Amino acid sequence: GDGSEPSPEPGTNDNFELPPPTWYVAISSPCILGLIIAFLIARALRCTKPESVAICIECCFQNTGLANSVALTIFTGSEAARAILVPLWYGVTEVVVLSLFGFFAWKIDWTYAP
């Protein structure tokens, strides 16, 4: 040939770059804001403190395994790697945020746990 290389299939040989810091904030914000808003609504509805804690956890804890499966089914190559970062980072965020929230709620006696 003419020295030109065939173009790769879409999503197969792309360079992968990590997202900018604002991306991490954007992906984390639904968990954090959801926790705050769920707590405010639960307390405004006069739920008990333990009920409010349970509502917050239920509102913010999402099935990231399902989101990972969907991302891997729909996308291929580096597109899949980029797509899977969303549920992966949200999962990290929810584990950290909800663990801290649950621990502090327990320490200030806002749960039924002994």
Side-chain angles (χ1 to χ4, degrees):
D2 59 4
S4 65
E5 295 180 26
S7 59
E9 291 293 318
T12 56
N13 198 13
D14 301 334
N15 291 330
F16 179 77
E17 295 181 19
L18 289 175
T22 53
W23 180 90
Y24 295 96
V25 172
I27 300 303
S28 299
S29 60
C31 182
I32 297 165
L33 294 174
L35 183 76
I36 294 167
I37 292 168
F39 184 77
L40 294 173
I41 291 172
R43 296 303 291 154
L45 293 174
R46 300 194 178 162
C47 295
T48 65
K49 291 175 183 174
E51 290 170 340
S52 299
V53 170
I55 289 169
C56 291
I57 292 171
E58 288 292 334
C59 286
C60 295
F61 196 79
Q62 302 299 316
N63 186 348
T64 56
L66 177 61
N68 285 333
S69 296
V70 171
L72 291 174
T73 301
I74 295 175
F75 299 103
T76 60
S78 64
E79 288 178 333
R82 282 192 291 268
I84 207 165
L85 278 178
V86 174
L88 181 65
W89 183 251
Y90 185 89
V92 168
T93 300
E94 72 181 1
V95 165
V96 171
V97 169
L98 294 177
S99 294
L100 290 172
F101 176 73
F103 177 76
F104 287 113
W106 170 66
K107 283 308 229 179
I108 61 174
D109 204 28
W110 281 17
T111 68
Y112 291 125

